[in-house]
């Protein structure tokens, strides 16, 4: 294996290896054999990596701050088998729709550990949440506050809530995934008086119990400073609201957004770095302001799942444009991973059946969809390619599949969970029949 390949292996699932045939091995399974057995494009999820990341978040935060709840952000990807793993690992779940909520329900997820987010939850979604008895609704705006109070009254329930504040802090990530700046559709701004108005209204709402505050700055955030600045602002706001309105901050959530290694460099903070920064600021400022330490909930999605996932594709046509570029086309692309096109996200790639070969040839991995912007990885250096080679793209566990589409009427990929050398299909590949199954003639 060339030295370059070994650093790329560090961003694959834990224990990824190259065997004596030069094949990539994930969770004890030969990736080339998985591609043959299940077809491509194929998403491979390594169960050991998912569980280890869940444990790492719980361990790193709880050893510094006992009253912590780690909540998995289901939007990164959820299905029943993953919900089961998250449940077994003792995490809560952040859901943003009736659909995500119903998947959690299907896995008999403990409802008290479910938090419901979103800037425009519908009445029917809120009803589902109230009826199931979920732990917290994270209220985004005054319209939702009034609606939820009315609905809780109708169902004769008292619902625990957090208010999502907008602290006005820029986390320096892509503008499409920036949420904590003032000019955002999310949350109650601290600086405009809307957050204070919500505190007043929530405190007097007959069927709501206001437990605390939540913010989410954006994602992925590769700096620790924005979390610290926002925690200080949130705690100062809480102290002011305590003095003015008797508000008692029992819970504070700095959201999710923890960055992951999509490429070996630049190095981003570790889970322990984020935990250190968040917990030390939380303790220091609440002590300084004479506030009791609130429960802290954190919401990693990408941080739990990204590294566990590998996307496998087969190479088809290879187009060489002399002195310009070589395009190697795969059988997936924008339909299963829109992130490069949408956010200019950068990925690495290796050739799963040539993982020990010298990397000598610069190619651009193009998708199969009818868009020139359908490029998965630009100008990556790989061994010389031939049709039929299997391309493996690491750090693909989060946000690719849940943002996938049937563009060009291409069926969506299968997902296989690997563990101790055993593959388990957890989502079958879509069929042509599936593509018209909802249509009425
Ligand atoms: N909590 C809240 C309230 C959120 O809105 C999000 C993500 C998270 C937690 C989890 O963030 P994470 O730890 O996964 O970064 N489609 C984009 C990401 C959008 C994230 C939306 N909210 C992407 O592919 O990068």
């Amino acid at each position: 294996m060339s030295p370059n390949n070994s650093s790329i292996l560090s961003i694959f699932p834990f224990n990824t290896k190259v065997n004596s045939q030069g094949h990539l091995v994930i969770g004890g399974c030969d990736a080339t054999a998985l591609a043959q057995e299940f077809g491509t494009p194929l998403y491979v999820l390594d169960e050991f990596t998912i569980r280890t990341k869940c444990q790492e978040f719980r361990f790193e935060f709880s050893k510094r701050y006992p009253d912590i709840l780690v909540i998995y952000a289901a939007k990164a990807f959820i299905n029943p088998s993953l919900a089961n793993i998250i449940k077994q690992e003792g995490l809560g779940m952040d859901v943003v729709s009736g659909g995500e909520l119903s998947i959690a329900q299907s896995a008999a997820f403990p409802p008290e550990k479910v938090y419901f987010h979103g800037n425009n939850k519908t009445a029917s979604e809120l009803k589902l949440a109230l009826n199931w008895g979920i732990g917290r609704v994270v209220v985004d705006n005054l319209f939702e506050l009034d609606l939820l109070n009315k609905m809780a009254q109708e169902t004769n329930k008292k619902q625990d809530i957090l208010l999502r504040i907008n602290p006005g802090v820029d986390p320096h990530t892509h503008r499409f995934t920036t949420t904590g700046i003032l000019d955002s559709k999310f949350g109650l701004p601290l600086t405009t008086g809307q957050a204070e108005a919500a505190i007043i209204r929530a405190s007097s709402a007959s069927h709501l119990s206001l437990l605390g505050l939540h913010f989410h700055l954006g994602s992925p955030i590769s700096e620790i400073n924005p979390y610290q600045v926002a925690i200080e602002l949130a705690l100062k706001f809480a102290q002011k609201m305590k003095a003015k309105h008797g508000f008692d901050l029992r819970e504070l959530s700095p959201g999710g957004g923890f960055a992951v290694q999509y490429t070996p460099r630049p190095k981003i903070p570790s889970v322990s770095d984020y935990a250190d920064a968040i917990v030390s600021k939380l303790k220091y400022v609440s002590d300084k302001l004479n506030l009791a330490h609130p429960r802290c909930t954190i919401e990693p999605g990408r941080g739990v799942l990204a590294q566990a996932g590998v996307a496998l594709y087969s190479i088809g046509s290879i187009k060489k444009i002399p002195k310009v570029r070589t395009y190697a086309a795969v059988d997936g692309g924008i339909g299963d991973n829109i992130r490069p096109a949408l956010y200019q996200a950068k990925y690495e790639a290796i050739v799963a059946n040539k993982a020990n070969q010298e990397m000598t040839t610069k190619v651009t991995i193009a998708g199969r969809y009818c868009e020139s912007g359908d490029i998965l990885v630009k100008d990556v250096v790989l061994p010389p390619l031939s049709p039929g080679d299997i391309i493996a793209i690491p750090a693909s566990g989060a946000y690719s599949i849940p943002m996938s589409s049937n563009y060009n009427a291409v069926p969506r990929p299968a997902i296989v969970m690997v563990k101790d050398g055993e593959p388990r299909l957890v989502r079958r590949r879509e069929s042509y029949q599936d593509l018209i199954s909802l249509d009425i003639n």
Side-chain angles (χ1 to χ4, degrees), residues 371-393:
E371 300 266 342
S372 290
D374 178 23
I375 300 294
L376 284 172
V377 193
K378 199 173 171 198
D379 293 341
V380 60
V381 181
L382 296 176
L385 287 175
S386 325
D389 281 343
I390 303 297
I391 294 290
I393 299 195

Side-chain angles (χ1 to χ4, degrees), residues 87-155:
K87 179 173 81 173
Q88 287 167 3
E89 291 301 330
L91 273 64
M93 198 182 300
D94 140 11
V95 300
V96 288
S97 67
E100 287 183 357
L101 189 142
S102 72
I103 296 171
Q105 235 171 351
S106 78
F109 208 84
E112 66 279 5
K113 284 189 179 174
V114 173
Y115 281 52
F116 192 9
H117 285 278
N119 69 308
N120 193 23
K121 308 169 186 82
T122 66
S124 63
E125 289 176 320
L126 290 173
K127 196 167 168 191
L128 273 180
L130 283 165
N131 286 342
W132 193 27
I134 68 160
R136 308 275 186 276
V137 175
V138 183
V139 173
D140 182 273
N141 52 67
L142 290 174
F143 168 75
E144 182 189 336
L145 189 71
D146 293 342
L147 178 64
L148 183 65
N149 188 41
K150 189 168 136 263
M151 293 181 63
Q153 183 165 23
E154 280 162 14
T155 45

Side-chain angles (χ1 to χ4, degrees), residues 139-143 145 163-166 181-202 210 213 237 240-241 245:
V139 173
D140 182 273
N141 52 67
L142 290 174
F143 168 75
L145 189 71
L163 290 178
R164 175 162 180 170
I165 56 168
N166 182 317
I181 56 169
L182 177 61
D183 187 0
S184 160
K185 68 173 182 170
F186 294 103
L188 297 146
L190 291 186
T191 52
T192 59
Q194 283 151 301
E196 179 165 3
I199 295 268
I200 297 169
R201 212 182 288 184
L210 173 59
L213 303 174
F237 172 71
K240 199 165 134 201
M241 293 303 102
H245 309 295

Side-chain angles (χ1 to χ4, degrees), residues 316-335:
S317 100
I318 298 172
K319 174 180 178 179
K320 289 189 178 132
I321 312 169
K323 300 203 183 91
V324 177
R325 202 180 306 281
T326 297
Y327 288 95
V330 294
D331 48 4
I334 205 169

Side-chain angles (χ1 to χ4, degrees), residues 73 75-76 94 117 164 177 214 216 218-220 255-258 262 299-303 339 343 398-399 403:
K75 57 182 85 63
D94 140 11
H117 285 278
R164 175 162 180 170
T177 53
H214 169 279
H216 174 74
S219 122
F258 312 109
Y262 281 102
E299 299 169 343
R302 190 190 317 267
R339 300 191 68 263
Y343 312 123
Y399 294 108
M403 295 176 83

